[in-house]
Amino acid sequence: MKIAIPLDENKQDVCIVLARAPFFMFNEDGEETIVENPAAQAQGGAGIQAAQFLVDNKVDVLITVRCGQNAADVFKAADMKIYKSINKAAADDLADLKNGKLDELTEFHGGFHGVQ
């Protein structure tokens, strides 16, 4: 299973903004990789671009604070599970996911449309 978490500049804490997070952490079978988010500096449509990037990277599970409806639609079409982040540190969210302590994210916002 491949898990993705949006990260802040420090590459450890969960970024509250999915689409414009500077980085994504991928965790697959305990192996962690941190990659730059190609949608972070997009002029527009960052949510869909970030979502497509995660789908293209074959992510099965996303852990995030919040998610826009357009991105959520992309994730749903790809059968990706979305869980609500409850911790500051990404490592803590990974542990909580493993222990069944994270709930699925079911409420999605309309997007921020250029507002960071």
Side-chain angles (χ1 to χ4, degrees):
M1 172 172 53
K2 190 169 191 178
I3 303 164
I5 302 177
L7 297 179
D8 277 337
E9 292 84 7
N10 68 8
K11 299 181 182 179
Q12 294 177 14
D13 294 336
V14 179
C15 185
I16 63 168
V17 181
L18 170 68
R20 298 198 182 273
F23 302 98
F24 284 109
M25 180 188 65
F26 295 137
N27 182 294
E28 189 170 21
D29 301 322
E31 295 280 328
E32 289 184 9
T33 306
I34 296 174
V35 297
E36 287 189 27
N37 174 8
Q41 302 300 320
Q43 292 293 324
I48 291 176
Q49 290 179 43
Q52 191 60 55
F53 175 72
L54 296 178
V55 169
D56 290 347
N57 277 277
K58 298 178 180 16
V59 169
D60 302 296
V61 172
L62 170 66
I63 301 172
T64 186
V65 174
R66 60 185 179 205
C67 181
Q69 186 63 57
N70 290 341
D73 291 343
V74 173
F75 297 140
K76 287 177 186 176
D79 292 323
M80 189 183 302
K81 295 276 191 190
I82 308 169
Y83 288 91
K84 173 84 172 148
S85 170
I86 59 171
N87 298 290
K88 181 177 179 178
D92 293 339
D93 273 342
L94 282 172
D96 283 349
L97 177 69
K98 184 178 180 180
N99 294 320
K101 294 182 180 178
L102 297 185
D103 293 326
E104 283 196 48
L105 185 63
T106 57
E107 293 183 22
F108 307 101
H109 62 80
F112 296 110
H113 308 286
V115 178
Q116 292 190 31

